[in-house]
Amino acid sequence: MAFHGWKRFLFLSKQNAFARAWRSRRGSLSLGRKRCCHGGAGESVAPEMRAFLEENTEVTSSGNLTPEIQLRLLTPRCRFWHEKLDSWPYGDPFWAIYWPGGQALSRYILDNPCVVKGKSVLDLGSGCGATAIAAVMSGASQVLANDIDPIAGMAMILNCELNHLNPFPITIKNMINSEVGNWDLIVLGDMFYDEQLADGLHHWLRKCIRIQQTKVLIGDPGRHEFLRHRIHSHLHKVVEYSLPESTRQENNGLTSSIVWSYQPSCSLESC
């Protein structure tokens, strides 16, 4: 399967995958793993999985908004990019793409470390972990990365190693509709692919703001599903970045990505 075949498949299928995962795992943990990954890479990534990820991803820091961060990603130079989609032995590797919303969030945090310095940060739907890594680099006092895919958690640990960071805690719990945690800041990118999922995020994030006064930053390049959802009326643009040419080509021609501040203007019960 050619480069654009993989990319297009992941781009178009992410909507259904996130929606199915959220609906089937509300309030539960993913794939039977009942813990967070807190240990070092040697403790949390089995040798065979480490070898698989190292062999079938490429370490890169180019073609995106954050050249300071090295990541293991699926690129055209990787074997599986050119094979049939069903040849990948695990769940769809959404974590292996550095999506433009996450790029914008990570760039903003690196450029504005005061946003996270000394604060507790939850990176929701963390994927490759770039935004969580940016938060650690910028002085966050506590970072929790969340993704429902256990393979993403393992990849994040390897990405921490690449950037000479101790692995931060990673949870594969589905946090939407879970108990509200005491976070200073929640960041999430590229998650508004499905109306029901967006509704769940809208409700849970408002609850976090109402109960804990949590600040919320959302990264998105302006996808149709995001712009048409009612959450958009509660957003304030923080910054817009022009995407590198390679990222534009890989994302159906999207040219920029925006960081939004989520500021609901009405009560949880009435909006």
Side-chain angles (χ1 to χ4, degrees):
M1 178 64 67
F3 170 77
H4 287 293
W6 259 104
K7 183 66 187 186
R8 186 177 297 277
F9 169 77
L10 292 176
F11 186 90
L12 295 176
S13 67
K14 190 176 184 182
Q15 172 181 346
N16 290 333
F18 272 134
R20 288 195 304 269
W22 177 68
R23 290 166 186 159
S24 65
R25 296 171 189 151
R26 279 181 285 181
S28 65
L29 302 188
S30 174
L31 300 183
R33 292 181 59 175
K34 304 297 184 182
R35 61 181 180 85
C36 298
C37 305
H38 288 277
E43 298 170 342
S44 298
V45 182
E48 61 273 16
M49 179 56 69
R50 173 184 288 270
F52 177 85
L53 293 176
E54 289 177 346
E55 180 182 354
N56 293 291
T57 57
E58 180 184 18
V59 176
T60 181
S61 61
S62 62
N64 59 62
L65 291 173
T66 58
E68 305 93 320
I69 300 176
Q70 294 194 83
L71 299 168
R72 286 196 168 277
L73 301 175
L74 188 63
T75 75
R77 289 173 289 277
C78 298
R79 173 170 65 93
F80 280 102
W81 193 271
H82 303 282
E83 295 188 359
K84 292 182 179 180
L85 298 173
D86 59 5
S87 65
W88 184 266
Y90 304 101
D92 296 332
F94 301 117
W95 57 266
I97 303 296
Y98 194 6
W99 301 96
Q103 289 188 35
L105 283 170
S106 302
R107 181 73 269 158
Y108 178 68
I109 289 171
L110 290 171
D111 288 345
N112 301 273
C114 60
V115 172
V116 299
K117 189 172 183 178
K119 298 178 181 178
S120 59
V121 179
L122 169 64
D123 183 11
L124 188 69
S126 191
C128 65
T131 304
I133 288 171
V136 173
M137 287 180 167
S138 298
S141 61
Q142 183 182 3
V143 173
L144 176 65
N146 165 243
D147 198 290
I148 61 172
D149 183 354
I151 308 301
M154 298 175 196
M156 279 187 253
I157 292 172
L158 300 188
N159 287 335
C160 284
E161 287 183 0
L162 287 174
N163 293 280
H164 309 292
L165 302 176
N166 292 324
F168 35 73
I170 301 163
T171 178
I172 56 173
K173 176 181 180 179
N174 189 334
M175 300 190 74
I176 303 173
N177 287 338
S178 68
E179 183 179 351
V180 172
N182 187 21
W183 302 100
D184 297 316
L185 174 67
I186 297 174
V187 292
L188 63 157
D190 308 285
M191 288 190 69
F192 291 84
Y193 281 88
D194 173 86
E195 184 174 2
Q196 190 172 350
L197 173 59
D199 288 345
L201 285 167
H202 187 29
H203 176 82
W204 187 74
L205 292 171
R206 283 184 306 173
K207 188 176 179 181
C208 292
I209 293 171
R210 181 175 65 86
I211 296 176
Q212 297 291 352
Q213 289 74 56
T214 305
K215 293 184 178 180
V216 177
L217 293 176
I218 297 172
D220 194 274
R223 297 187 183 92
H224 179 66
E225 295 85 358
F226 178 62
L227 296 178
R228 72 180 183 182
H229 193 272
R230 68 180 184 277
I231 194 173
H232 204 262
S233 64
H234 301 284
L235 300 179
H236 300 267
K237 183 188 290 188
V238 177
V239 64
E240 183 171 0
Y241 297 99
S242 179
L243 292 170
E245 183 60 31
S246 59
T247 300
R248 296 185 184 194
Q249 293 176 1
E250 295 168 12
N251 288 273
N252 291 355
L254 293 170
T255 59
S256 65
S257 190
I258 299 172
V259 175
W260 304 88
S261 174
Y262 177 44
Q263 300 175 23
S265 57
C266 50
S267 70
L268 181 68
E269 292 76 18
S270 62
C271 63

